[in-house]
Amino acid sequence: MRHIKPARRTLTALLATTLLAGGVLLGQTATAVPAAAGTITCNISKLRADAHKERDRAAQLKRLGATTEARKAYARADALERRAQQCADADNNSKPPLWK
C-alpha cells in the first residue's frame, strides 16, 4: 500500500495546478474589456477645423521666420487631418450594407 501515496500526491498536485491555471484564465477573460465596449467617437468637422487652424498658425510662423515651429505645426495639422480621415473611413465602413 505504500505505492499509492506518491500517486495520490501527484494527482492532488496536478488537480490543484489545473484548477489554479483555469481560475487565472477565467479571471482574465471576465475582467477583459470587450472590443465593442471601448468605442471611440470623434467629431470629424472639429478635427478638420483644428487642422485648418493649425495650418494657418504654421503659415504665420513661417512668415515670421520660425521654420522649426512651422514644421511642427504642419506636422500636427497633418496628424489631425489623418485622424479625421480615419474617423470618416471608420464611419463609412461600419454602416451595414444596403442589401441586408
Side-chain angles (χ1 to χ4, degrees):
M1 288 298 212
R2 289 186 64 97
H3 63 281
I4 294 178
K5 271 192 173 181
R8 187 181 302 161
R9 287 183 185 157
T10 304
L11 288 175
T12 305
L14 184 63
L15 180 65
T17 305
T18 305
L19 288 175
L20 283 174
V24 169
L25 290 175
L26 184 64
Q28 286 178 350
T29 56
T31 59
V33 177
T39 57
I40 298 173
T41 59
C42 51
N43 189 346
I44 298 170
S45 58
K46 183 179 182 321
L47 285 171
R48 289 200 172 132
D50 290 346
H52 184 72
K53 287 179 188 175
E54 197 67 29
R55 286 193 196 286
D56 289 345
R57 183 175 162 271
Q60 182 182 12
L61 286 170
K62 189 175 179 182
R63 280 193 305 272
L64 294 173
T67 56
T68 306
E69 290 84 3
R71 268 184 290 164
K72 289 180 183 178
Y74 278 127
R76 280 192 296 271
D78 288 340
L80 286 169
E81 192 65 38
R82 256 193 321 274
R83 182 67 184 140
Q85 188 61 42
Q86 288 172 351
C87 288
D89 291 343
D91 284 347
N92 290 339
N93 290 335
S94 66
K95 294 178 183 170
L98 296 174
W99 59 85
K100 276 193 172 182

